[in-house]
């Protein structure tokens, strides 16, 4: 994907949570589907798999990625204790660490239907989610979503 390419078909991966083998399979599958771009909504760390490998898979396959709340928490004190079964922060290699540190909260992409914004939550708020089946009032009570719309 080049920076000015207008996207028609995208493959979106959400919340890999260090599941490196599943992430690898998802990337391979989506690459076989003739998509214009692969995108990831973040939450790369915090899971029983290999977070280092997840970062490398995303980088090596050119997956456009944004930061999730777990990726943000990864750099806070108390992360290792809170998520003891996850990849310890001190075991992340420098390249993976730099990748995580530079992930933006949102990214915009030109599509045939207009601009698409990739994010983990709603806009810059990586904790405000919208779920399938949310009642209308949940959507109406989300001012950030209203501003994006």
């Amino acid at each position: 994907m080049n920076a000015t390419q207008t996207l028609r078909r995208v493959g979106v991966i959400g919340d890999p949570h260090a599941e490196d083998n599943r992430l690898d399979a998802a990337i391979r599958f989506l690459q076989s589907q003739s998509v214009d771009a692969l995108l990831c909504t973040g939450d790369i760390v915090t899971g029983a798999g290999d977070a280092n490998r997840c970062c490398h898979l995303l980088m090596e396959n050119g997956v456009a990625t944004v930061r999730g709340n777990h990726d943000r928490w990864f750099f806070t004190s108390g992360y290792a204790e809170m998520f003891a079964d996850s990849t310890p922060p001190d075991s992340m290699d420098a390249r993976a660490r730099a990748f995580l540190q530079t992930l933006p909260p949102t990214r915009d992409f030109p599509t045939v239907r207009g601009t698409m914004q990739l994010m983990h939550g709603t806009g810059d708020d990586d904790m405000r989610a919208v779920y399938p089946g949310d009642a209308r009032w949940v959507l109406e009570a989300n001012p950030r979503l209203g501003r994006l719309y």
Side-chain angles (χ1 to χ4, degrees):
M1 176 185 87
N2 66 50
T4 60
Q5 179 182 5
T6 299
L7 305 178
R8 298 181 79 72
R9 295 185 61 187
V10 297
V12 180
I13 299 166
D15 297 59
H17 284 291
E19 294 287 346
D20 56 304
N21 292 327
R22 289 181 178 178
L23 177 60
D24 187 30
I27 289 170
R28 289 175 193 274
F29 172 77
L30 291 169
Q31 286 173 332
S32 75
Q33 300 302 302
S34 301
V35 296
D36 298 325
L38 294 177
L39 313 176
C40 178
T41 63
D43 275 3
I44 300 156
V45 298
T46 313
D50 186 341
N52 264 311
R53 182 169 181 240
C54 285
C55 290
H56 290 280
L57 284 167
L58 294 167
M59 288 184 284
E60 291 160 9
N61 289 284
V63 181
T65 305
V66 293
R67 181 189 70 221
N69 54 306
H70 286 254
D71 307 320
R72 177 172 48 83
W73 294 340
F74 184 78
F75 295 100
T76 61
S77 63
Y79 173 87
E81 294 78 30
M82 204 163 48
F83 300 104
D85 63 336
S86 298
T87 304
D90 59 358
S91 73
M92 294 292 280
D93 65 51
R95 190 167 163 239
R97 206 172 176 75
F99 174 73
L100 287 172
Q101 285 177 316
T102 59
L103 291 176
T106 64
R107 292 182 71 170
D108 292 340
F109 299 91
T111 75
V112 294
R113 302 284 308 262
T115 301
M116 174 185 70
Q117 188 170 73
L118 178 67
M119 64 194 79
H120 184 74
T122 303
D124 289 347
D125 186 345
D126 58 25
M127 295 293 291
R128 176 149 332 234
V130 176
Y131 298 101
D134 272 351
R136 182 180 176 134
W137 71 266
V138 174
L139 302 176
E140 291 170 347
N142 187 334
R144 288 190 171 147
L145 184 61
R147 284 191 296 276
L148 286 171
Y149 180 72

